[in-house]
Amino acid sequence: MFKKGGQEVLSEMDQSSYSKDRVKIVLNEKNMPTHWYNICSDLPTPLAPPLNPGTGEPIGPEDLAPLFPMKLIMQEVSTDKLIEIPDEVRDIYRQWRPTPLYRARRLEKALDTPAKIYYKYEGVSPSGSHKPNTAVAQAYYNKEEGVKKLTTETGAGQWGSALAFAGALFGLEVDVYMVKISFDQKPYRKALMESYGARCVASPSKETESGKSILASNPKSTGSLGIAISEAVEMAAQRDDTKYALGSVLNHVLLHQTIIGQESMKQLEIAGDEPDVIVGCTGGGSNFAGISFPYLGKNLRGESNIKFLAVEPANCPSLTKGKFAYDFGDTGKLTPLVKMHTLGSSFVPPGFHAGGLRYHGMSPLVSHLVNEGYIEATSFNQIECFDAGVMFAKAEGILPAPEANHAVKGAISEALLAKEAGESKVILFNLCGHGNFDMQAYTDYFGGNLIDEKYDESEVAMALANLPSVST
Ligand SMILES: *Cc1c(COP(=O)(O)O)cnc(C)c1O
């Protein structure tokens, strides 16, 4: 450790990047975290266990074995504080990690706010988002267990691309079921997945019983993540050499993303700042957890008092309008029951552009922490999020993914609150991906063709009325 300007900095290399007017805070590769942080070790009250839908009893590791390799299942149920990142995974991470942390000085100026705004940029990964942090780890553990093929779902295509990339590195076949509306909106994502050697199919498809039954009742279905998950799970469950990979929601996925927050911590230390507010967008909760959980652990241990803000789309508002209850993770009811904020597994959200946020549920860990009051949640409409994203692009040059626009909007709102109050707050948000494959969304926005379509409240009410009954 070295000292400069009263601040402890991390190494000689990092010290050289320290300057008072810094905009980009680079972390030396030597200081890339060696472990993932498991927030389950710091929870004041334990998570409700996943249940077998048939018996209502908690499931055991062996129940998940047809779908996931044992090392990932053990991470799913672990309460160890730190879990070592395998060397092979760290070697691959080094291609783009540590990712940069930026101070958004020009955005601060545009907003005329006394707040400092920092953003961690995960769009520098090969596929353009935070998703490879877990895709690479999941492909590694599957390969180690002798798996030949992975099946998965994808919304906007970020997860499908990330898993396709990871599959190419480890020589695994990858089949991706892509939500129909996004499949049509973002054709270049399919081409990227194919470039990595994966197969990409629009969901609902005729390849699975789950897909066929949805198409039978609604041939024009736009699809949903819940439906695509059913298709991928169904295919994986049928074959011994095939397993399933999920891009969000599960504990082990959130665990792998904690490298984001741990790096941010070191980088803000170099900058000499402590965050007052941390903001992220939430689809299944993984990028939000990634940047938040290492800091949230400090709150849980009584070492800090940071505000955490999860931002979701107003037309798929699981955290702000859903019910905290046991539900299926998929529409076809093939998964175990998990306790989470849910809009009901049969709910199909309107076809807005932030495809990665169109999930009926939320990660059990994020749901639990919202329910216990450690995380606040809010929602915004699509057009105001694009307004924020375009303002950000003009100031900072990076065009955010439509999902990430929700985090940008949340951070700008916090900066404007600080301005009203005349407070110099430090705001940190996760810029979880770039929008370079989402230009149709921006074309629609500039053409005035985006609408803030309201979700169907009666459909949610019906989906919630049909929640599985659990005697707890
Ligand atoms: C997948 C994705 C999301 C939503 O998933 P989380 O698990 O909530 O992070 C958000 N932003 C981007 C860029 C994504 O690719």
Side-chain angles (χ1 to χ4, degrees), residues 320-343:
T320 51
K321 295 278 173 60
K323 203 164 157 182
F324 185 51
Y326 273 103
D327 195 6
F328 291 96
D330 70 319
T331 307
K333 306 187 173 178
L334 303 176
T335 69
L337 299 177
V338 290
K339 194 164 185 193
M340 61 181 177
H341 285 85
T342 180
L343 296 164

Side-chain angles (χ1 to χ4, degrees), residues 73-99:
I73 296 170
M74 295 327 282
Q75 290 179 0
E76 187 64 22
V77 298
S78 170
T79 51
D80 293 348
K81 187 178 209 100
L82 294 172
I83 294 176
E84 190 167 11
I85 307 174
D87 282 343
E88 293 86 340
V89 173
R90 273 167 53 85
D91 279 345
I92 296 169
Y93 279 177
R94 279 194 194 92
Q95 186 187 341
W96 71 95
R97 307 208 71 87
T99 59

